[in-house]
Amino acid sequence: MNTVLKIGLIGLKVLLSAFFLFAAYGKFTGEAMVVGVFDQIGWGDWFRYFAGAVQVTGVLLLWVPGRQVLGGLL
């Protein structure tokens, strides 16, 4: 694999990680908009925390060799 492709893939993983962590942060800190959405769909706080945990798990899997696709799907 050439160097440009490797750098591009690492950059993509960094961007995806930042996006997932930013989204999970809102779920764990209880931002009003996020809480409102989960209250509106009627699933409550437990599902908000579950969704945040799934996003953090996805970030971790993005950095585990052989599990990047699964992390991206999460």
Side-chain angles (χ1 to χ4, degrees):
M1 187 181 304
N2 70 31
T3 307
V4 174
L5 184 58
K6 283 183 183 180
I7 292 171
L9 288 174
I10 290 172
L12 181 62
K13 287 195 307 188
V14 167
L15 287 174
L16 284 173
S17 296
F19 178 74
F20 286 162
L21 288 175
F22 180 74
Y25 178 78
K27 289 175 180 66
F28 288 127
T29 59
E31 289 183 22
M33 183 181 78
V34 175
V35 171
V37 168
F38 281 90
D39 284 343
Q40 195 173 29
I41 63 173
W43 288 45
D45 288 336
W46 74 270
F47 192 71
R48 178 172 50 96
Y49 290 122
F50 175 75
V54 168
Q55 288 174 325
V56 170
T57 302
V59 168
L60 295 175
L61 288 175
L62 280 176
W63 295 96
V64 175
R67 300 287 188 241
Q68 292 92 357
V69 174
L70 179 60
L73 289 173
L74 284 177

